Amino acid sequence: MGNKILIIGACGQIGTELTLTLREKFGNENVVASDIREGNEQLMQTGPFEILDATNYKAIEDIVMHYEIDEVYLMAAMLSATAEKFPMRGWELNMNSLFNVLNLAKDKKISKLFWPSSIAVFGPTTPKLNTPQTTVMEPTTVYGISKQTGERWCEYYHEKYGVDVRSIRYPGLISYKTAPGGGTTDYAVEIFHEALNKQSYTSFLSEDTALPMMFMDDAIEATIRLMDADKESLSIKSSYNLGGISFTPKEIAESIKKHIPNFKIDYAPDFRQAIADSWPSSIDDSQAQKDWGWKHQFDLGKMTKAMLEGLRNL
């Protein structure tokens, strides 16, 4: 492959595993990782790395030119719970970084771009069950507002300038390899750590809060599959719905108890409950299935087993 890839935000929850998977697929030297800080040892030692502020256009452009980058994955973002504490910082990071890479693509300095959206684009007026691809979107969080706005700009740049930008509305993502990054679905990662360390967990969401989730292996597979898809087959130019598995804190606790019988959970909902209540309970991703053959592999039982085994082996 002649293409060179730049990952911006490579040290985050998705970025770390995405970078390592792409290096395995395309060769270490062809995938340049970058972030505002250094990442874990494996990320740093397997290929090129650059310290990079995602809001600095000139710095991104310099790296793109130096490495002759063809494709960019913009994974840098301030997530839902953190952005509620720092609204303007969240807005500026999430929007300015997107404009930087969209403009690089508009000026033909890169040929293809991946930008992640989120189920946070939906709001309390969105249908909660099997949320359709096209529906009411009235987000109530800084993160959701920035992602919905970003989707509109992605479609605009495609229609106006022919920019090849591809996007997924990620559900909550679950991984044992990297720590969560300040999102409302983080409980579904924390619960596994606490189950192994303390055999107990206090959930910051109520027991019956159902949210769409996805094991990280599925999310990485979906991201790469979308980027590999034939451009002509893609009907969505904003962002694709991506459904995985939907479950509640109570259901994930029951799944863990099958492996750790003494595990106990209690509930102390905090400010993140209101965010979760505004999001869908399940997602209709039939358009992704139709356009690029998407199908998730991990159900709740398979994911629970993989998480507990993965954490035990770290």
Side-chain angles (χ1 to χ4, degrees), residues 5 120 137 153 167 220 228 258 264:
I5 295 169
M137 296 163 72
W153 279 111
S167 179
I220 300 297
D228 284 348
K258 291 175 183 172
K264 289 188 170 49

Side-chain angles (χ1 to χ4, degrees), residues 11-260:
C11 302
Q13 187 190 20
I14 310 173
T16 300
E17 295 188 47
L18 178 63
T19 302
L20 295 174
T21 306
L22 287 170
R23 282 178 173 169
E24 202 171 292
K25 180 173 177 166
F26 295 124
N28 290 348
E29 293 307 308
N30 289 319
V31 181
V32 181
S34 69
D35 209 310
I36 198 77
R37 57 181 170 80
E38 291 191 348
N40 68 28
E41 195 175 336
Q42 189 181 12
L43 183 89
M44 300 300 293
Q45 290 185 355
T46 52
F49 180 87
E50 297 281 348
I51 295 288
L52 177 64
D53 176 357
T55 62
N56 185 332
Y57 176 85
K58 182 70 169 64
I60 300 172
E61 184 185 40
D62 287 348
I63 290 173
V64 165
M65 296 296 110
H66 176 75
Y67 288 97
E68 299 179 332
I69 297 295
D70 190 60
E71 297 180 9
V72 171
Y73 290 70
L74 173 60
M75 311 310 291
M78 190 178 289
L79 301 186
S80 57
T82 309
E84 289 306 289
K85 297 175 184 174
F86 308 103
M88 289 317 298
R89 277 167 57 188
W91 174 260
E92 286 164 9
L93 169 59
N94 294 354
M95 295 312 303
N96 291 351
S97 60
L98 174 58
F99 279 122
N100 286 341
V101 290
L102 283 173
N103 285 326
L104 281 171
K106 174 172 78 85
D107 295 338
K108 304 290 189 284
K109 290 172 180 171
I110 56 174
S111 67
K112 196 190 292 186
L113 166 63
F114 179 84
W115 172 78
S117 188
S118 162
I119 58 168
V121 297
F122 303 119
T125 54
T126 302
K128 286 186 85 69
L129 293 176
N130 288 321
T131 301
Q133 173 67 46
T134 303
T135 186
V136 178
M137 296 163 72
E138 295 184 316
T140 55
T141 63
V142 174
Y143 181 62
I145 293 165
S146 71
K147 288 298 183 184
Q148 192 213 14
T149 307
E151 286 192 17
R152 305 273 47 83
W153 279 111
C154 286
E155 188 157 19
Y156 181 86
Y157 268 70
H158 169 78
E159 298 299 333
K160 194 87 172 172
Y161 309 117
V163 167
D164 186 358
V165 54
R166 305 181 184 197
S167 179
I168 284 169
R169 292 171 182 155
Y170 287 122
L173 298 180
I174 300 170
S175 168
Y176 61 84
K177 294 177 185 173
T178 47
T184 301
T185 54
D186 286 359
Y187 91 86
V189 178
E190 293 172 359
I191 194 169
F192 289 103
H193 289 267
E194 298 292 290
L196 287 170
N197 293 333
K198 301 178 182 174
Q199 284 76 57
S200 67
Y201 179 65
T202 301
S203 170
F204 56 72
L205 298 181
S206 66
E207 68 175 2
D208 57 354
T209 304
L211 288 171
M213 300 281 190
M214 182 169 283
F215 191 53
M216 186 64 81
D217 289 22
D218 274 339
I220 300 297
E221 169 68 22
T223 305
I224 294 171
R225 181 176 286 221
L226 174 58
M227 286 295 274
D228 284 348
D230 181 26
K231 189 177 178 181
E232 275 61 52
S233 70
L234 304 178
S235 63
I236 303 297
K237 307 304 181 184
S238 54
S239 189
Y240 277 94
N241 267 9
L242 200 67
I245 43 179
S246 290
F247 54 78
T248 65
K250 184 177 181 180
E251 286 169 337
I252 197 173
E254 292 300 323
S255 186
I256 289 170
K257 280 181 188 176
K258 291 175 183 172
H259 301 267
I260 306 173

